[in-house]
């Protein structure tokens, strides 16, 4: 069907099949994919993720020592953030804003490993206003 509103001819869009997700309903989604929001910084001495737009924050070809800034934006309780770091072929020093919290089980990495990828997983702890490091792996 087509509708003319005096602005030209507009095609009517068919309604989706299946149940439509409501804005206030409690529903279980099955067979759906959430595409992660990814941003990339080539090299920066102060790489800073944005909690409103980044699920994965990639730093590629890091060519200088870097101090990771506190993520900007407004995170929500339990929100995840993955930071991926790779240097430019020479080891670079790493430092972390106090917004990132590390434990004695997973100490903060202080340098990259030449030409290897480092992954760090964080969860926003809204009770303490910290990005808690809950996973990390390097030498990939």
């Amino acid at each position: 069907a087509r509708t003319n509103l005096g602005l030209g001819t507009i095609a009517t869009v068919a309604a989706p099949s299946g149940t439509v997700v409501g804005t206030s309903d409690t529903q279980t989604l099955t067979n759906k994919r959430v595409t992660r929001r990814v941003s990339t910084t080539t090299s920066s001495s102060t790489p800073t993720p944005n909690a409103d737009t980044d699920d994965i924050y990639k730093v590629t070809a890091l060519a200088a020592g870097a101090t990771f800034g506190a993520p900007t934006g407004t995170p929500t309780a339990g929100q995840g953030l993955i930071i991926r770091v790779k240097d430019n072929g020479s080891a670079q020093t790493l430092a972390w804003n106090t917004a990132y919290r590390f434990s004695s089980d997973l100490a903060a990495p202080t340098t990259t490993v030449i030409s290897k990828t480092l992954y760090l997983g964080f969860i926003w702890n809204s009770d303490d206003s910290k990005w808690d490091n809950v996973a990390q792996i390097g030498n990939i």
Side-chain angles (χ1 to χ4, degrees):
R2 297 181 181 264
T3 307
N4 188 333
L5 302 176
L7 301 172
T9 303
I10 300 171
T12 303
V13 177
S17 61
T19 304
V20 176
V21 177
T23 58
S24 61
D25 302 342
T26 300
Q27 294 174 293
T28 299
L29 301 179
T30 305
N31 196 26
K32 305 295 180 237
R33 179 179 75 180
V34 175
T35 301
R36 301 258 183 145
R37 302 167 301 167
V38 179
S39 69
T40 302
T41 297
T42 302
S43 183
S44 171
S45 60
T46 55
T48 305
N50 183 329
D52 293 340
T53 59
D54 302 335
D55 296 315
I56 299 174
Y57 183 73
K58 300 187 311 184
V59 180
T60 62
L62 184 63
T67 298
F68 280 81
T72 59
T74 307
T76 58
Q79 179 176 337
L81 172 65
I82 295 172
I83 295 178
R84 187 179 103 178
V85 182
K86 188 171 185 177
D87 61 44
N88 67 341
S90 24
Q92 303 298 335
T93 59
L94 300 175
W96 304 89
N97 181 282
T98 59
Y100 300 97
R101 184 164 60 180
F102 295 86
S103 74
S104 58
D105 296 329
L106 291 173
T110 57
T111 186
T112 62
V113 175
I114 296 173
S115 299
K116 299 291 185 177
T117 301
L118 168 67
Y119 285 92
L120 298 110
F122 296 91
I123 294 179
W124 176 247
N125 180 330
S126 59
D127 295 335
D128 296 340
S129 296
K130 296 286 185 183
W131 286 97
D132 288 339
N133 179 234
V134 296
Q136 60 180 269
I137 189 166
N139 295 319
I140 293 179

